[in-house]
Short mmCIF file of all heavy atoms in Angstrom, two decimals:
data_model
loop_
_atom_site.label_atom_id
_atom_site.label_comp_id
_atom_site.label_asym_id
_atom_site.label_seq_id
_atom_site.Cartn_x
_atom_site.Cartn_y
_atom_site.Cartn_z
N ALA A 474 -21.21 50.28 52.27
CA ALA A 474 -20.14 49.56 51.57
C ALA A 474 -20.54 49.31 50.12
O ALA A 474 -21.72 49.18 49.80
CB ALA A 474 -19.85 48.25 52.29
N LYS A 475 -19.55 49.25 49.23
CA LYS A 475 -19.79 49.07 47.80
C LYS A 475 -18.96 47.92 47.25
O LYS A 475 -17.84 47.68 47.70
CB LYS A 475 -19.42 50.34 47.02
CG LYS A 475 -20.23 51.56 47.36
CD LYS A 475 -21.59 51.49 46.75
CE LYS A 475 -22.37 52.76 47.02
NZ LYS A 475 -23.65 52.74 46.40
N ALA A 476 -19.50 47.23 46.27
CA ALA A 476 -18.78 46.23 45.49
C ALA A 476 -18.55 46.81 44.10
O ALA A 476 -19.48 47.32 43.47
CB ALA A 476 -19.58 44.94 45.40
N VAL A 477 -17.31 46.73 43.63
CA VAL A 477 -16.92 47.33 42.35
C VAL A 477 -16.18 46.29 41.52
O VAL A 477 -15.28 45.62 42.02
CB VAL A 477 -16.00 48.55 42.58
CG1 VAL A 477 -15.54 49.16 41.27
CG2 VAL A 477 -16.68 49.59 43.46
N LYS A 478 -16.55 46.14 40.26
CA LYS A 478 -15.83 45.28 39.32
C LYS A 478 -14.75 46.13 38.66
O LYS A 478 -15.03 47.18 38.09
CB LYS A 478 -16.78 44.73 38.26
CG LYS A 478 -16.10 43.98 37.12
CD LYS A 478 -15.32 42.79 37.58
CE LYS A 478 -16.09 41.53 37.39
NZ LYS A 478 -15.33 40.36 37.86
N VAL A 479 -13.50 45.68 38.74
CA VAL A 479 -12.37 46.38 38.13
C VAL A 479 -11.87 45.53 36.97
O VAL A 479 -11.54 44.36 37.16
CB VAL A 479 -11.24 46.62 39.15
CG1 VAL A 479 -10.07 47.34 38.49
CG2 VAL A 479 -11.75 47.41 40.34
N ARG A 480 -11.84 46.11 35.78
CA ARG A 480 -11.36 45.42 34.59
C ARG A 480 -10.23 46.22 33.98
O ARG A 480 -10.38 47.41 33.72
CB ARG A 480 -12.48 45.27 33.56
CG ARG A 480 -13.64 44.42 34.05
CD ARG A 480 -14.71 44.24 33.00
NE ARG A 480 -14.18 43.39 31.94
CZ ARG A 480 -14.45 43.54 30.65
NH1 ARG A 480 -15.25 44.51 30.25
NH2 ARG A 480 -13.95 42.73 29.75
N VAL A 481 -9.11 45.55 33.74
CA VAL A 481 -7.96 46.16 33.07
C VAL A 481 -7.91 45.57 31.67
O VAL A 481 -7.90 44.34 31.51
CB VAL A 481 -6.65 45.89 33.83
CG1 VAL A 481 -5.48 46.58 33.15
CG2 VAL A 481 -6.76 46.33 35.29
N LEU A 482 -7.91 46.43 30.65
CA LEU A 482 -7.96 45.99 29.26
C LEU A 482 -6.79 46.56 28.49
O LEU A 482 -6.44 47.73 28.67
CB LEU A 482 -9.28 46.43 28.63
CG LEU A 482 -10.49 45.89 29.39
CD1 LEU A 482 -11.27 47.03 30.00
CD2 LEU A 482 -11.35 45.05 28.52
N GLU A 483 -6.19 45.71 27.63
CA GLU A 483 -5.06 46.19 26.83
C GLU A 483 -5.55 47.10 25.72
O GLU A 483 -6.74 47.11 25.40
CB GLU A 483 -4.24 45.00 26.31
CG GLU A 483 -5.01 44.01 25.46
CD GLU A 483 -5.10 44.39 24.00
OE1 GLU A 483 -4.17 45.01 23.48
OE2 GLU A 483 -6.12 44.07 23.39
N GLY A 484 -4.63 47.86 25.12
CA GLY A 484 -5.03 48.93 24.22
C GLY A 484 -5.30 48.58 22.77
O GLY A 484 -5.93 49.36 22.08
N LYS A 485 -4.84 47.44 22.26
CA LYS A 485 -5.02 47.16 20.83
C LYS A 485 -6.43 46.69 20.50
O LYS A 485 -7.03 47.17 19.55
CB LYS A 485 -4.00 46.13 20.36
CG LYS A 485 -2.62 46.70 20.21
CD LYS A 485 -1.69 45.71 19.54
CE LYS A 485 -0.32 46.32 19.36
NZ LYS A 485 0.62 45.40 18.72
N THR A 486 -6.94 45.72 21.24
CA THR A 486 -8.26 45.16 20.94
C THR A 486 -9.17 45.12 22.15
O THR A 486 -10.20 44.46 22.13
CB THR A 486 -8.15 43.73 20.37
OG1 THR A 486 -7.53 42.91 21.36
CG2 THR A 486 -7.37 43.69 19.08
N SER A 487 -8.79 45.79 23.22
CA SER A 487 -9.56 45.80 24.47
C SER A 487 -9.73 44.41 25.07
O SER A 487 -10.73 44.13 25.72
CB SER A 487 -10.94 46.45 24.26
OG SER A 487 -10.79 47.79 23.89
N ALA A 488 -8.73 43.56 24.88
CA ALA A 488 -8.76 42.25 25.51
C ALA A 488 -8.47 42.42 27.00
O ALA A 488 -7.61 43.20 27.40
CB ALA A 488 -7.72 41.31 24.88
N GLU A 489 -9.20 41.69 27.82
CA GLU A 489 -9.03 41.80 29.27
C GLU A 489 -7.71 41.16 29.68
O GLU A 489 -7.40 40.05 29.30
CB GLU A 489 -10.20 41.09 29.94
CG GLU A 489 -10.25 41.29 31.43
CD GLU A 489 -11.50 40.64 31.99
OE1 GLU A 489 -12.55 41.30 31.97
OE2 GLU A 489 -11.40 39.48 32.42
N VAL A 490 -6.92 41.88 30.48
CA VAL A 490 -5.65 41.35 30.97
C VAL A 490 -5.70 41.09 32.48
O VAL A 490 -4.83 40.40 33.01
CB VAL A 490 -4.46 42.26 30.61
CG1 VAL A 490 -4.27 42.30 29.09
CG2 VAL A 490 -4.62 43.66 31.17
N LEU A 491 -6.70 41.62 33.17
CA LEU A 491 -6.89 41.35 34.59
C LEU A 491 -8.27 41.86 34.98
O LEU A 491 -8.72 42.91 34.50
CB LEU A 491 -5.83 42.06 35.44
CG LEU A 491 -5.85 41.77 36.93
CD1 LEU A 491 -5.40 40.34 37.20
CD2 LEU A 491 -4.95 42.73 37.69
N ASP A 492 -8.95 41.10 35.84
CA ASP A 492 -10.17 41.62 36.43
C ASP A 492 -10.30 41.07 37.84
O ASP A 492 -9.81 39.99 38.14
CB ASP A 492 -11.40 41.30 35.58
CG ASP A 492 -11.91 39.90 35.78
OD1 ASP A 492 -11.15 38.95 35.53
OD2 ASP A 492 -13.07 39.75 36.19
N PHE A 493 -10.91 41.87 38.69
CA PHE A 493 -11.12 41.47 40.08
C PHE A 493 -12.25 42.30 40.66
O PHE A 493 -12.66 43.32 40.08
CB PHE A 493 -9.84 41.62 40.92
CG PHE A 493 -9.25 43.01 40.92
CD1 PHE A 493 -9.59 43.93 41.90
CD2 PHE A 493 -8.35 43.39 39.93
CE1 PHE A 493 -9.05 45.20 41.89
CE2 PHE A 493 -7.80 44.66 39.93
CZ PHE A 493 -8.14 45.57 40.91
N ASN A 494 -12.77 41.85 41.78
CA ASN A 494 -13.79 42.60 42.50
C ASN A 494 -13.13 43.36 43.63
O ASN A 494 -12.26 42.83 44.32
CB ASN A 494 -14.87 41.67 43.06
CG ASN A 494 -15.65 41.00 41.95
OD1 ASN A 494 -15.78 41.53 40.85
ND2 ASN A 494 -16.16 39.82 42.23
N LEU A 495 -13.56 44.59 43.82
CA LEU A 495 -13.04 45.45 44.87
C LEU A 495 -14.20 45.77 45.82
O LEU A 495 -15.29 46.11 45.36
CB LEU A 495 -12.50 46.74 44.25
CG LEU A 495 -12.15 47.91 45.16
CD1 LEU A 495 -10.99 47.55 46.08
CD2 LEU A 495 -11.80 49.13 44.32
N PHE A 496 -13.96 45.63 47.10
CA PHE A 496 -14.99 45.90 48.11
C PHE A 496 -14.55 47.09 48.94
O PHE A 496 -13.50 47.05 49.59
CB PHE A 496 -15.23 44.66 48.97
CG PHE A 496 -15.65 43.47 48.15
CD1 PHE A 496 -14.73 42.54 47.73
CD2 PHE A 496 -16.98 43.32 47.77
CE1 PHE A 496 -15.11 41.46 46.95
CE2 PHE A 496 -17.37 42.24 46.99
CZ PHE A 496 -16.43 41.32 46.58
N LEU A 497 -15.34 48.16 48.89
CA LEU A 497 -15.00 49.41 49.57
C LEU A 497 -15.89 49.61 50.79
O LEU A 497 -17.11 49.49 50.70
CB LEU A 497 -15.18 50.60 48.63
CG LEU A 497 -14.26 50.62 47.41
CD1 LEU A 497 -14.70 51.70 46.43
CD2 LEU A 497 -12.82 50.86 47.84
N SER A 498 -15.27 49.94 51.91
CA SER A 498 -16.01 50.29 53.12
C SER A 498 -16.69 51.63 52.92
O SER A 498 -16.36 52.36 51.98
CB SER A 498 -15.04 50.38 54.30
OG SER A 498 -14.36 49.17 54.48
N PRO A 499 -17.61 52.02 53.80
CA PRO A 499 -18.19 53.36 53.71
C PRO A 499 -17.10 54.43 53.77
O PRO A 499 -16.15 54.33 54.56
CB PRO A 499 -19.10 53.44 54.93
CG PRO A 499 -19.44 52.01 55.24
CD PRO A 499 -18.21 51.23 54.88
N ASN A 500 -17.19 55.43 52.91
CA ASN A 500 -16.25 56.55 52.85
C ASN A 500 -14.80 56.08 52.69
O ASN A 500 -13.88 56.67 53.23
CB ASN A 500 -16.40 57.44 54.09
CG ASN A 500 -17.80 57.98 54.20
OD1 ASN A 500 -18.32 58.60 53.28
ND2 ASN A 500 -18.44 57.72 55.33
N ASP A 501 -14.59 55.04 51.93
CA ASP A 501 -13.27 54.44 51.75
C ASP A 501 -12.60 54.98 50.49
O ASP A 501 -13.25 55.41 49.55
CB ASP A 501 -13.45 52.92 51.63
CG ASP A 501 -12.15 52.15 51.73
OD1 ASP A 501 -11.10 52.76 52.04
OD2 ASP A 501 -12.18 50.92 51.51
N VAL A 502 -11.27 54.93 50.49
CA VAL A 502 -10.47 55.29 49.32
C VAL A 502 -9.58 54.09 49.00
O VAL A 502 -8.94 53.55 49.90
CB VAL A 502 -9.59 56.52 49.58
CG1 VAL A 502 -8.71 56.84 48.38
CG2 VAL A 502 -10.43 57.72 49.95
N TRP A 503 -9.54 53.67 47.74
CA TRP A 503 -8.64 52.60 47.31
C TRP A 503 -7.65 53.17 46.33
O TRP A 503 -8.01 53.91 45.41
CB TRP A 503 -9.44 51.48 46.66
CG TRP A 503 -8.58 50.34 46.17
CD1 TRP A 503 -7.99 49.38 46.94
CD2 TRP A 503 -8.22 50.06 44.82
NE1 TRP A 503 -7.29 48.50 46.14
CE2 TRP A 503 -7.42 48.90 44.83
CE3 TRP A 503 -8.50 50.66 43.60
CZ2 TRP A 503 -6.89 48.34 43.68
CZ3 TRP A 503 -7.98 50.09 42.45
CH2 TRP A 503 -7.18 48.95 42.49
N THR A 504 -6.38 52.85 46.50
CA THR A 504 -5.33 53.32 45.60
C THR A 504 -4.50 52.14 45.11
O THR A 504 -4.35 51.13 45.81
CB THR A 504 -4.40 54.33 46.30
OG1 THR A 504 -3.83 53.71 47.46
CG2 THR A 504 -5.16 55.58 46.71
N ALA A 505 -3.97 52.27 43.93
CA ALA A 505 -3.13 51.25 43.32
C ALA A 505 -2.24 51.91 42.28
O ALA A 505 -2.44 53.07 41.92
CB ALA A 505 -3.98 50.15 42.69
N ALA A 506 -1.27 51.14 41.79
CA ALA A 506 -0.40 51.61 40.72
C ALA A 506 -0.25 50.50 39.70
O ALA A 506 -0.23 49.31 40.05
CB ALA A 506 0.96 52.02 41.26
N ILE A 507 -0.15 50.88 38.45
CA ILE A 507 0.18 49.94 37.39
C ILE A 507 1.63 50.22 37.02
O ILE A 507 1.98 51.35 36.66
CB ILE A 507 -0.75 50.10 36.18
CG1 ILE A 507 -2.19 49.82 36.59
CG2 ILE A 507 -0.33 49.18 35.04
CD1 ILE A 507 -3.22 50.04 35.51
N ILE A 508 2.46 49.18 37.14
CA ILE A 508 3.90 49.32 36.95
C ILE A 508 4.39 48.18 36.04
O ILE A 508 3.69 47.18 35.87
CB ILE A 508 4.66 49.30 38.30
CG1 ILE A 508 4.48 47.95 39.00
CG2 ILE A 508 4.19 50.44 39.20
CD1 ILE A 508 5.33 47.78 40.25
N PRO A 509 5.61 48.30 35.48
CA PRO A 509 6.13 47.17 34.70
C PRO A 509 6.56 46.04 35.63
O PRO A 509 6.96 46.27 36.77
CB PRO A 509 7.33 47.77 33.96
CG PRO A 509 7.71 48.98 34.73
CD PRO A 509 6.47 49.46 35.42
N SER A 510 6.48 44.80 35.14
CA SER A 510 6.88 43.65 35.96
C SER A 510 8.39 43.61 36.19
O SER A 510 8.85 43.14 37.22
CB SER A 510 6.43 42.35 35.31
OG SER A 510 5.03 42.23 35.43
N ASP A 511 9.17 44.07 35.20
CA ASP A 511 10.62 44.14 35.37
C ASP A 511 11.17 45.22 34.45
O ASP A 511 10.41 45.98 33.86
CB ASP A 511 11.29 42.78 35.14
CG ASP A 511 11.05 42.21 33.75
OD1 ASP A 511 11.02 42.99 32.77
OD2 ASP A 511 10.89 40.99 33.64
N ASN A 512 12.49 45.28 34.29
CA ASN A 512 13.12 46.36 33.52
C ASN A 512 13.17 46.12 32.02
O ASN A 512 13.63 46.99 31.29
CB ASN A 512 14.54 46.60 34.04
CG ASN A 512 14.52 47.17 35.44
OD1 ASN A 512 13.55 47.80 35.86
ND2 ASN A 512 15.59 46.96 36.19
N THR A 513 12.72 44.97 31.55
CA THR A 513 12.77 44.71 30.11
C THR A 513 11.59 45.38 29.41
O THR A 513 10.54 45.60 30.00
CB THR A 513 12.75 43.20 29.81
OG1 THR A 513 11.49 42.66 30.25
CG2 THR A 513 13.89 42.48 30.51
N ALA A 514 11.78 45.66 28.13
CA ALA A 514 10.72 46.34 27.35
C ALA A 514 9.60 45.39 26.96
O ALA A 514 8.57 45.85 26.47
CB ALA A 514 11.33 46.97 26.11
N THR A 515 9.78 44.11 27.15
CA THR A 515 8.76 43.15 26.74
C THR A 515 8.01 42.52 27.91
O THR A 515 7.20 41.63 27.73
CB THR A 515 9.40 42.01 25.91
OG1 THR A 515 10.41 41.38 26.70
CG2 THR A 515 9.99 42.55 24.63
N SER A 516 8.28 42.99 29.11
CA SER A 516 7.61 42.42 30.28
C SER A 516 6.17 42.90 30.37
O SER A 516 5.79 43.91 29.78
CB SER A 516 8.35 42.79 31.56
OG SER A 516 8.22 44.18 31.81
N ALA A 517 5.39 42.17 31.13
CA ALA A 517 3.98 42.53 31.34
C ALA A 517 3.87 43.71 32.30
O ALA A 517 4.77 43.98 33.08
CB ALA A 517 3.23 41.33 31.92
N GLY A 518 2.74 44.38 32.23
CA GLY A 518 2.39 45.32 33.28
C GLY A 518 1.87 44.54 34.47
O GLY A 518 1.55 43.35 34.36
N ARG A 519 1.77 45.18 35.61
CA ARG A 519 1.17 44.54 36.79
C ARG A 519 0.59 45.62 37.67
O ARG A 519 0.97 46.78 37.61
CB ARG A 519 2.16 43.68 37.54
CG ARG A 519 3.26 44.45 38.23
CD ARG A 519 4.21 43.48 38.93
NE ARG A 519 5.44 44.18 39.23
CZ ARG A 519 5.99 44.24 40.42
NH1 ARG A 519 5.43 43.61 41.43
NH2 ARG A 519 7.11 44.89 40.61
N ILE A 520 -0.34 45.21 38.51
CA ILE A 520 -0.97 46.15 39.44
C ILE A 520 -0.47 45.85 40.84
O ILE A 520 -0.33 44.69 41.22
CB ILE A 520 -2.51 46.08 39.34
CG1 ILE A 520 -3.15 47.27 40.04
CG2 ILE A 520 -3.05 44.76 39.85
CD1 ILE A 520 -4.61 47.49 39.67
N VAL A 521 -0.14 46.90 41.57
CA VAL A 521 0.30 46.77 42.96
C VAL A 521 -0.53 47.71 43.82
O VAL A 521 -0.98 48.75 43.36
CB VAL A 521 1.80 47.08 43.14
CG1 VAL A 521 2.67 46.07 42.43
CG2 VAL A 521 2.13 48.48 42.67
N THR A 522 -0.75 47.30 45.05
CA THR A 522 -1.47 48.15 46.00
C THR A 522 -1.00 47.84 47.41
O THR A 522 -0.69 46.70 47.73
CB THR A 522 -2.99 47.98 45.88
OG1 THR A 522 -3.63 48.88 46.78
CG2 THR A 522 -3.43 46.56 46.17
N ALA A 523 -0.93 48.85 48.22
CA ALA A 523 -0.64 48.69 49.64
C ALA A 523 -1.90 48.97 50.45
O ALA A 523 -1.86 49.07 51.67
CB ALA A 523 0.49 49.63 50.05
N ASP A 524 -3.02 49.11 49.76
CA ASP A 524 -4.29 49.46 50.39
C ASP A 524 -4.87 48.25 51.11
O ASP A 524 -4.70 47.12 50.69
CB ASP A 524 -5.26 49.94 49.31
CG ASP A 524 -6.37 50.78 49.86
OD1 ASP A 524 -7.25 50.21 50.53
OD2 ASP A 524 -6.38 51.99 49.61
N ALA A 525 -5.59 48.51 52.19
CA ALA A 525 -6.19 47.44 52.99
C ALA A 525 -7.59 47.05 52.50
O ALA A 525 -8.16 46.11 53.04
CB ALA A 525 -6.26 47.88 54.45
#
Side-chain angles (χ1 to χ4, degrees):
K475 297 284 184 177
V477 178
K478 172 60 99 181
V479 180
R480 297 182 70 216
V481 182
L482 302 115
E483 58 85 33
K485 285 189 178 180
T486 61
S487 297
E489 188 176 275
V490 295
L491 185 70
D492 80 300
F493 57 92
N494 295 332
L495 168 65
F496 301 96
L497 296 169
S498 302
N500 302 305
D501 192 8
V502 177
W503 179 76
T504 58
I507 299 176
I508 63 173
S510 288
D511 60 37
N512 292 335
T513 64
T515 58
S516 69
R519 69 181 163 127
I520 194 164
V521 294
T522 183
D524 201 289

